[in-house]
Amino acid sequence: MSRRIERADGHRASRPARSFPRARRAAWFCVASLPLLGWLARALGEIVLGDVLALAALAIASGLLFARPSALIGLVVAAAVAGPTVASLVPPIYWPPIAWNFATSACFFASLARDESLVETFARLCGEAPDAALRDYCRRVTLVWALWLALLGVVGIGVALAGNERLGAWWAGVIDYALIAALFVGEYLWRRRRGAAPRDLVGQIMAVRKGLGVARND
C-alpha cells in the first residue's frame, strides 16, 4: 500500500504508508485491553485463558519496550527461570499492573542518577526552559513518582497474595489506574494553584508519553 506525493520537479512518486505507528497504537491497545479480558475470562470460569491473556499482554508490552534483541533474550531467560516460582505464588492474571508499576518506577529512579530527571524531560517537551529552582522541583517530583509507583507495585503484590479475585479485578482494572491519575492531576492542580502550570493538560500527557519513550531508549 502506498501514497502518491508531489516531487519538486512536478512528478509524482510513491512512498509507503505510515502503518508502523498505527501498528504500535494497536499493540498498546491490546496491552491495555487483554488484562481486562483476562479478568472477564476468569469470572466466566476460564482460569487458564485468563492467565494466558494476561501473559500475552506482558509479552506484547515487552516487545514494545525492549525492542533490542539482547534485552528480549534476557527477559525470556529471566521469565523461564523465575516464572514458575512466581506463578506458584502470584497467578499471572495479577502480573501486568505489578510489572508496569515497578518498570515505570525504575525509569523514574534511574533518571535521578542523570543530570536531567524524567520530570524535567517532560517539562522540556512541554516547551519549558527550567531554571535551577524548577530543576530541583522536577527532581523532587520524579522521586515522588518513583516511590508512588513502587508503592502501587507492592500493594498489587499484596492484593494478589490475598487471593480475592474480585478485589484483584477492581485493583487491576480501575483502582491502580485511578491512583496514578490522581497523583498526575493532583500535582498539575498544585502547580496551577501556584501559577506554574500551563493550561494544556493534554499536551502534558503527550509529553509524559514521549518522555517515557526517551527513558526507555536510554
Side-chain angles (χ1 to χ4, degrees):
M1 188 176 182
S2 61
R3 292 184 293 180
R4 307 290 293 181
I5 57 173
E6 290 285 349
R7 294 192 329 201
D9 57 6
H11 294 83
R12 299 178 69 84
S14 298
R15 71 178 178 186
R18 297 174 66 93
S19 58
F20 183 67
R22 294 181 182 178
R24 287 186 65 87
R25 285 195 292 269
W28 280 118
F29 176 78
C30 290
V31 168
S33 61
L34 285 177
L36 300 179
L37 293 176
W39 282 109
L40 177 61
R42 288 179 74 92
L44 297 175
E46 299 293 338
I47 305 299
V48 175
L49 177 59
D51 287 344
V52 168
L53 290 172
L55 290 173
L58 281 178
I60 295 171
S62 299
L64 290 168
L65 296 174
F66 303 101
R68 298 172 184 172
S70 58
L72 278 174
I73 292 171
L75 190 66
V76 170
V77 171
V81 172
T85 301
V86 175
S88 67
L89 299 173
V90 179
I93 190 66
Y94 293 94
W95 292 4
I98 295 172
W100 298 334
N101 281 329
F102 280 128
T104 311
S105 174
C107 288
F108 280 95
F109 268 123
S111 74
L112 291 172
R114 301 193 296 267
D115 184 57
E116 181 177 299
S117 66
L118 191 52
V119 173
E120 183 181 340
T121 300
F122 300 158
R124 292 184 183 277
L125 288 171
C126 287
E128 298 282 345
D131 56 17
L134 181 55
R135 295 188 67 190
D136 185 60
Y137 174 79
C138 288
R139 293 190 74 83
R140 293 197 302 272
V141 175
T142 298
L143 179 60
V144 168
W145 270 109
L147 294 173
W148 182 245
L149 291 166
L151 175 62
L152 293 181
V154 171
V155 173
I157 293 175
V159 169
L161 293 176
N164 186 328
E165 293 204 356
R166 188 167 191 173
L167 174 60
W170 274 99
W171 173 261
V174 179
I175 300 173
D176 183 65
Y177 294 115
L179 291 174
I180 292 172
L183 179 57
F184 183 88
V185 174
E187 191 274 335
Y188 171 77
L189 293 176
W190 168 256
R191 285 185 290 119
R192 280 291 304 274
R193 183 179 179 183
R194 299 177 63 189
R199 294 182 177 274
D200 186 10
L201 181 59
V202 174
Q204 291 193 62
I205 294 173
M206 297 305 296
V208 169
R209 179 183 172 187
K210 292 179 182 179
L212 288 174
V214 171
R216 181 193 72 215
N217 293 324
D218 284 345

